[in-house]
Amino acid sequence: MDRKQVADWIAAYEQAWRTPGTAALDSIFTADATYRQGPYREPVVGLPAIARMWESEREGPDEVFEMTGRVVAVDGDTGVARVQVRYGDPADQEWQDLWIMRFVEDGRCRSFEEWPFAPEQRTAAAG
């Protein structure tokens, strides 16, 4: 993978999120892909389970949001990106995410892990 391929994958992810249904997922994830919604969350395993999670997490393809992504690093089959998402107009929910993606040769993702941060989250435990 290179930076352009990872950036193209992020664009395809966004397009899939904006598309009705979940058929587009098989073009961006492998059949046995894992999708972890946070570093301490259990992974969602397999395309059917990812599709169910996907549909339960979004309001639908008409959901109003703005997404920007910037590739931070690529090493072999692994890409890391910083992604910002703002939901609503005006925005009433915002996330800064770190995405860690592992790809297979055809460019589909076999392992996806996000580290989501919202503005109200604390970055360190109170001592």
Side-chain angles (χ1 to χ4, degrees):
M1 293 296 286
D2 61 30
R3 286 177 177 270
K4 181 180 181 329
Q5 290 171 307
V6 174
D8 288 348
W9 187 89
I10 293 168
Y13 179 104
E14 179 180 358
Q15 183 59 44
W17 190 266
R18 294 181 184 277
T19 301
T22 58
L25 291 177
D26 67 354
S27 68
I28 59 173
F29 289 103
T30 62
D32 61 346
T34 60
Y35 190 120
R36 190 180 300 263
Q37 294 175 284
Y40 297 105
R41 306 253 327 247
E42 288 296 316
V44 176
V45 180
L47 205 47
I50 292 170
R52 286 190 300 275
M53 176 272 301
W54 188 276
E55 286 291 31
S56 72
E57 291 291 319
R58 66 180 180 168
E59 291 180 15
D62 296 328
E63 183 174 27
V64 176
F65 71 95
E66 177 184 323
M67 180 176 139
T68 57
R70 182 177 61 83
V71 177
V72 175
V74 177
D75 185 17
D77 68 349
T78 303
V80 178
R82 183 175 173 168
V83 178
Q84 181 178 43
V85 185
R86 290 188 174 110
Y87 293 94
D89 184 20
D92 60 1
Q93 187 180 28
E94 179 179 336
W95 295 92
Q96 287 278 350
D97 288 1
L98 185 67
W99 288 5
I100 304 168
M101 302 147 288
R102 290 202 170 101
F103 298 95
V104 296
E105 284 187 23
D106 69 5
R108 290 179 301 148
C109 185
R110 67 179 167 92
S111 172
F112 179 89
E113 181 178 335
E114 63 182 324
W115 292 54
F117 294 91
E120 65 276 1
Q121 284 180 297
R122 296 185 130 171
T123 57

